[in-house]
């Protein structure tokens, strides 16, 4: 329940003037989910315009970048110091990262963690250890988000204005 019965155009089968993004029976597959929702929203907007012009809607085809991945590239529990992040699937980008010590280009960028096995917390995790921890959570907040978020049209990340409510309890 609670879903709009839809066709492959993300269009309601009961009310053809209604389109839905992530609230329909048409599933969105792949990660990052934000890109999948963006692709669906573009399809809905284009199809609504077609229907308004008396033309038939087109089936949803996800052309949004990055291409859909089977698993999320990471799982985050908070950003920055005190946070924890697990790198799960970087796709082709994993060839450039050690993630950690799985032989990235070329076997971790020098001088990162070559001489300090199991003791250096880097953006990808502990060298010689798991690709997770507080280091990746700090790296994503200060390294990746400021660079990649605007490219994906995510604006205002980390910029809490005076009108933003403070978190009182967890």
């Amino acid at each position: 329940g609670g879903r709009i019965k839809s066709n492959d155009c993300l269009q309601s089968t009961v009310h053809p003037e209604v389109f839905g993004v992530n609230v329909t029976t048409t599933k969105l597959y792949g990660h990052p989910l934000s890109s999948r929702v963006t692709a669906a929203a573009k399809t809905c907007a284009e199809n609504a315009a077609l229907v308004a012009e008396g033309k038939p809607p087109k089936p949803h085809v996800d052309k949004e970048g990055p291409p859909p991945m089977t698993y999320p590239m990471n799982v985050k529990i908070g950003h920055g110091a005190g946070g924890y992040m697990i790198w799960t699937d970087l796709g082709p980008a994993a060839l450039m990262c050690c993630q950690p010590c799985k032989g990235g280009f070329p076997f971790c960028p020098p001088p990162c963690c070559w001489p300090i096995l199991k003791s250096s917390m880097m953006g990808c995790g502990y060298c010689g250890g798991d690709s997770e921890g507080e280091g990746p959570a700090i790296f994503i907040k200060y390294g990746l988000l400021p660079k990649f978020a605007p490219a994906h049209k995510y604006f205002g990340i980390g910029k809490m204005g005076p009108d933003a409510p403070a978190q009182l309890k967890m």
Side-chain angles (χ1 to χ4, degrees):
R3 295 251 177 224
I4 298 170
K5 291 183 182 178
S6 61
N7 59 23
D8 61 350
C9 300
L10 306 179
Q11 178 183 38
S12 169
T13 57
V14 178
H15 299 281
E17 70 280 6
V18 174
F19 293 87
V21 177
N22 210 28
V23 294
T24 68
T25 54
T26 304
K27 299 289 183 195
L28 301 178
Y29 293 101
H31 292 274
L33 293 176
S34 55
S35 295
R36 311 296 58 92
V37 170
T38 298
K42 288 179 180 179
T43 296
C44 287
E46 291 166 4
N47 280 339
L50 289 172
V51 168
E53 294 171 2
K55 298 176 183 173
K58 296 179 181 175
H60 172 60
V61 177
D62 188 339
K63 297 179 264 185
E64 196 67 27
M69 295 169 33
T70 305
Y71 303 102
M73 67 183 276
N74 57 52
V75 176
K76 293 181 286 297
I77 305 168
H79 291 93
Y84 197 90
M85 192 177 87
I86 304 165
W87 290 108
T88 54
D89 185 0
L90 288 178
L95 298 174
M96 297 298 287
C97 303
C98 66
Q99 228 193 236
C101 298
K102 292 180 185 169
F105 173 80
F107 318 112
C108 291
C112 281
C113 48
W114 288 353
I116 321 171
L117 293 179
K118 289 258 185 204
S119 63
S120 175
M121 177 53 96
M122 304 304 289
C124 54
Y126 285 104
C127 289
D130 294 326
S131 50
E132 60 187 69
E134 184 180 46
I138 293 169
F139 177 66
I140 195 121
K141 180 176 182 179
Y142 299 107
L144 293 182
L145 284 178
K147 295 192 180 359
F148 290 106
H152 291 285
K153 312 274 188 297
Y154 304 148
F155 300 108
I157 291 179
K159 296 177 183 170
M160 299 293 276
D163 299 329
Q167 180 174 321
L168 301 177
K169 287 186 179 181
M170 182 70 120

